[in-house]
Amino acid sequence: MPTRTADERRAEARRAYDAYLAECPARQLLDRIADKWVTLVLNALADGPRRYAELHRKIAGVSQKMLTQTLRALERDGLVSRTVTASVPVRVDYALTPLGVSLLPVVAAVKEWADGHIEEVAAARAAYDEG
């Protein structure tokens, strides 16, 4: 059996989608969906399509720039669709695609876990900070 170099092993691992490698496409996707704004946008769209202004009002603290960047990235990744309706003014709606809907249970579970465990985390932080 021929010996493989480290570069060859890394290349083979990339082909196998090893998320522990920085170059792995799956790692790049994990980076995207782990973003707090992505999680909040996906959860905000869970009940159906929303206009930009509705999303901006619902997600407290997100700047217009970050919301726009997040929506564009999600659209690029095929998780969110953008529908423009010709009217005065122009109406733009954002909705989850079937791919986005398939991710929703995962991000919803993370959000629910955070909502349900924030007091325990806050207590752990306080204990750590005192120690």
Side-chain angles (χ1 to χ4, degrees):
M1 174 177 235
T3 304
R4 295 178 301 156
T5 67
D7 284 338
E8 290 170 334
R9 288 192 303 273
R10 279 192 290 277
E12 183 179 317
R14 275 193 299 277
R15 287 189 296 274
Y17 293 104
D18 183 351
Y20 292 105
L21 295 174
E23 304 85 19
C24 177
R27 166 95 166 257
Q28 295 167 6
L29 185 56
L30 285 171
D31 288 344
R32 168 85 68 231
I33 62 177
D35 179 83
K36 70 178 176 181
W37 301 123
V38 167
T39 301
L40 293 171
V41 167
L42 292 175
N43 276 294
L45 293 171
D47 296 330
R50 291 186 184 263
R51 296 177 76 173
Y52 182 92
E54 291 177 282
L55 287 169
H56 194 254
R57 280 191 302 273
K58 182 156 182 79
I59 304 170
V62 67
S63 68
Q64 289 183 350
K65 178 183 177 183
M66 281 309 304
L67 182 55
T68 298
Q69 286 177 350
T70 301
L71 288 167
R72 284 181 183 159
L74 290 171
E75 185 179 8
R76 181 174 183 253
D77 289 343
L79 300 171
V80 168
S81 65
R82 179 178 182 265
T83 304
V84 179
T85 305
S87 63
V88 178
V90 173
R91 180 183 175 104
V92 180
D93 291 291
Y94 295 91
L96 294 176
T97 63
L99 187 60
V101 170
S102 73
L103 178 59
L104 193 56
V106 177
V107 294
V110 170
K111 181 186 172 293
E112 287 175 25
W113 184 91
D115 290 343
H117 291 86
I118 188 59
E119 291 178 9
E120 294 168 74
V121 171
R125 288 176 180 171
Y128 180 89
D129 293 343
E130 288 175 5

